[in-house]
Amino acid sequence: MNNRSNPGFQTVKSIATRPLILTTCLLGLAGCSPKNTFVQPPPPEVTVALPDQRDVTVYSEVPGRAEARDTIEIRARVSGYLRSVDFVDGQIVREGDRLFLIEPEPYEAAVKAGEANLSSAIAARDIAQTNYDRRVQAFETKAVSEIDVLTAKANLDSAEAAMLGAEADLTRARINLSYTENFAPATGRIGRRLVSEGNLVGGGQATLLATLVVQDPIYVYFNLSERVLVPALEKLALIDRTDLRNAPPVDLELADGSRYGESGRIDYVDNRADAATGTVAIRAVFPNPHGALLPGLYGKVLIPETVEDALLVPDLSIQRDIGGSYVLVVDHQGTVEARYVELGPKVGYDRVIKSGLNGDERVVVNGLQRARPGITVSATTRAPDRVEN
């Protein structure tokens, strides 16, 4: 059968060729449009700031340990049964407050016996004195011999010695009686009772009853290396413990990171350095009226030092790599450069720069994630502030 003479076949063929013709036309039109060109993206935006230059106070941190100004052991100085405990464990006691009472009756009886013995000794001394005086008068008229006078004098001396012994016994009895009451020798915090009422104490030894610590003021001991101490030795040598107004001030940072509310003063420097460690023991005294500092606590002693015309940059603007610490600076052409620096102490949200910057550099303080050395950026200048990354 001849396909050309078949009208149906021609219709199918014409329909099949239409997509090909349409595609060819579209390609032709596309070839006539302009070519795509690459548009350079804008430079990343960053914020820069000049280093802040001003006088700042920086702190050297040294580990320290708090100790009580005085630690006093309350002991039983006489033997007897403990009659009463007159404090609550851990309370603040005032100087002169009674703490313990040991049964006083045996010692009261000893005082009365001593008083009686002293009265008897005084009477015997008076008789001996009268007898001696009469012997002396009689000897002047030769009524008695010299040996009688000497004997009377020996009896008088013996009576006076006995009287002195009786006075001493009475004094000892009164002292022992006073020991039956234990009074606080200073104002401070008393620890827990170590002996309960009704127990025998002082039997052959001075029984420890409790411990009293004087917490106000409180001492904090720390060690300084020779390198830090030597420049300050001349000033520290002039410390007058009776007047600490000119002593170097210090602060204290507690274990939880908070700073103690009262400043202290250095009041003692050891008289020699430890040859093994190259350090010198130093003590600072802090007011502690409310007992917030307890003996044995550890903290950091903060020694202030004023740095004049210090250069500061936001601490979060500082980067670190294997080569050390650096900041990103932007020159006047907008090119980013890494500038390695020597870091000093932190002051608030800023960091002191010891070396590496002159003070006129534009330091990247915002948009650090968009900047890297060698690229060009669009920099906006603002005053130094806390970094916002």
Side-chain angles (χ1 to χ4, degrees):
M1 181 179 180
N2 189 356
N3 291 333
R4 294 181 179 178
S5 59
N6 190 340
F9 176 78
Q10 292 178 356
T11 302
V12 174
K13 181 178 179 181
S14 61
I15 293 175
T17 57
R18 287 177 185 176
L20 180 60
I21 296 172
L22 181 60
T23 301
T24 302
C25 293
L26 291 176
L27 289 175
L29 292 175
C32 297
S33 63
K35 296 183 178 180
N36 291 332
T37 57
F38 176 74
V39 178
Q40 183 73 23
E45 295 182 357
V46 297
T47 303
V48 297
L50 296 177
D52 187 15
Q53 189 168 8
R54 67 178 189 272
D55 295 345
V56 297
T57 300
V58 298
Y59 293 88
S60 300
E61 298 180 353
V62 186
R65 178 170 53 86
E67 289 190 9
R69 191 194 71 181
D70 296 305
T71 300
I72 305 169
E73 293 182 342
I74 310 299
R75 293 182 176 271
R77 303 181 67 177
V78 292
S79 176
Y81 287 95
L82 191 61
R83 178 68 57 79
S84 68
V85 179
D86 302 316
F87 65 89
V88 177
D89 293 352
Q91 81 172 78
I92 299 295
V93 296
R94 303 297 175 184
E95 182 177 358
D97 290 349
R98 194 175 78 175
L99 304 177
F100 296 95
L101 174 64
I102 299 172
E103 55 175 347
E105 290 82 5
Y107 302 97
E108 291 173 348
V111 169
K112 292 180 179 179
E115 292 173 345
N117 292 336
L118 178 59
S119 297
S120 177
I122 292 174
R125 191 278 313 268
D126 292 342
I127 293 174
Q129 182 70 54
T130 301
N131 188 39
Y132 172 71
D133 293 341
R134 289 180 178 180
R135 291 290 187 276
V136 170
Q137 293 176 358
F139 179 73
E140 293 176 354
T141 59
K142 305 300 182 181
V144 295
S145 64
E146 182 180 2
I147 191 66
D148 291 332
V149 175
L150 296 176
T151 301
K153 181 64 169 64
N155 291 335
L156 175 60
D157 292 342
S158 177
E160 289 181 343
M163 183 188 69
L164 293 176
E167 288 179 346
D169 291 340
L170 177 58
T171 300
R172 185 180 302 107
R174 287 172 174 169
I175 291 174
N176 288 336
L177 176 61
S178 69
Y179 288 161
T180 60
E181 292 182 292
N182 290 88
F183 296 95
T187 299
R189 186 181 297 276
I190 191 77
R192 66 180 181 89
R193 69 192 73 186
L194 301 178
V195 180
S196 300
E197 298 174 0
N199 283 284
L200 179 66
V201 297
Q205 61 180 355
T207 306
L208 180 61
L209 303 176
T211 301
L212 174 69
V213 294
V214 179
Q215 296 178 320
D216 184 26
I218 196 167
Y219 292 148
V220 176
Y221 287 87
F222 59 98
N223 294 313
L224 277 186
S225 66
E226 297 176 4
R227 178 182 60 83
V228 177
L229 182 64
V230 168
L233 275 179
E234 182 176 355
K235 185 176 182 180
L236 292 175
L238 300 177
I239 291 176
D240 182 1
R241 289 196 60 195
T242 62
D243 185 2
L244 298 179
R245 287 176 296 180
N246 296 324
V250 293
D251 290 311
L252 184 65
E253 182 180 304
L254 304 179
D256 62 354
S258 63
R259 183 172 296 191
Y260 182 58
E262 300 278 355
S263 294
R265 295 279 178 177
I266 293 176
D267 76 326
Y268 167 78
V269 180
D270 202 357
N271 57 7
R272 62 178 180 176
D274 189 330
T277 61
T279 60
V280 177
I282 298 180
R283 182 179 71 197
V285 56
F286 286 84
N288 191 31
H290 305 296
L293 295 179
L294 296 178
L297 291 180
Y298 284 84
K300 293 180 181 177
V301 178
L302 307 178
I303 304 174
E305 178 185 0
T306 299
V307 180
E308 297 181 353
D309 295 329
L311 288 178
L312 299 101
V313 300
D315 188 59
L316 292 179
S317 67
I318 298 172
Q319 311 283 327
R320 292 169 178 82
D321 63 10
I322 194 171
S325 300
Y326 66 92
V327 294
L328 297 178
V329 299
V330 180
D331 61 18
H332 293 290
Q333 286 74 38
T335 303
V336 179
E337 175 190 352
R339 190 73 59 84
Y340 285 88
V341 293
E342 181 183 359
L343 301 181
K346 190 176 180 181
V347 181
Y349 293 102
D350 297 331
R351 175 77 66 171
V352 174
I353 302 299
K354 291 184 176 180
S355 63
L357 295 179
N358 298 322
D360 56 357
E361 296 88 350
R362 299 192 300 167
V363 178
V364 178
V365 296
N366 193 5
L368 293 171
Q369 72 278 8
R370 297 188 292 272
R372 65 179 183 273
I375 70 170
T376 300
V377 295
S378 174
T380 302
T381 303
R382 67 169 172 81
D385 198 356
R386 197 183 314 176
V387 177
E388 301 172 1
N389 283 323

